[in-house]
Amino acid sequence: QVQLVESGGGRVQTGGSLRLSCTASGSIFETYIMRWYRQRLGAKRQWVGEITRDGSTRYTESVKGRFTISRDNAKNTVYLQMNSLQPEDTADYYCHADLLLATPTGTRGQLTNIWGQGTQVTVSS
């Protein structure tokens, strides 16, 4: 079973920092684009940013200059470094990955995408 597991959420004060991690595990041949989303209470899930396998990144405007996405392909892990956190960053954060499954013999399987279960970030003023 392939899954994404996020960690690193918590409560911080305005101006603080948090680093989220998201690791893909299971029969994975290769991970491709890995994305972060967030969902505020009562709102739709919002794209935060993404990183390609070769490290190219894109961000939504509201987090540019404050958030940094990085990844470790050997560990199938993506990170979200969040600095200068504001109360409006309070949300559940989810990672999402496009990935290639591995067959039982270890060869390339099918392309799919999966979501993590989310981790809560609370920024208090």
Side-chain angles (χ1 to χ4, degrees):
Q1 183 180 359
V2 177
Q3 61 178 348
L4 286 178
V5 178
E6 297 106 332
S7 61
R11 176 183 289 270
V12 294
Q13 291 189 325
T14 297
S17 298
L18 280 175
R19 188 193 195 208
L20 307 184
S21 300
C22 171
T23 299
S25 63
S27 298
I28 298 168
F29 189 88
E30 211 165 62
T31 53
Y32 295 130
I33 297 177
M34 301 185 82
R35 304 173 180 89
W36 286 99
Y37 289 78
R38 66 185 179 187
Q39 188 168 16
R40 299 186 181 97
L41 192 63
K44 292 182 179 180
R45 196 168 292 186
Q46 174 193 30
W47 174 80
V48 173
E50 65 188 40
I51 185 167
T52 64
R53 185 167 178 81
D54 65 0
S56 298
T57 54
R58 294 196 303 145
Y59 302 93
T60 191
E61 196 64 35
S62 62
V63 308
K64 283 182 181 178
R66 300 189 300 124
F67 289 12
T68 302
I69 299 175
S70 59
R71 65 188 289 166
D72 184 334
N73 290 333
K75 296 180 180 179
N76 287 329
T77 297
V78 62
Y79 305 97
L80 179 63
Q81 177 66 46
M82 304 184 293
N83 299 327
S84 301
L85 283 162
Q86 303 297 314
E88 53 266 32
D89 295 316
T90 295
D92 291 326
Y93 284 72
Y94 298 87
C95 66
H96 176 271
D98 293 333
L99 51 87
L100 194 63
L101 300 177
T103 68
T105 58
T107 58
R108 292 172 180 262
Q110 67 182 50
L111 190 64
T112 188
N113 68 88
I114 56 174
W115 287 92
Q117 84 288 352
T119 186
Q120 190 173 58
V121 171
T122 302
V123 184
S124 57
S125 57

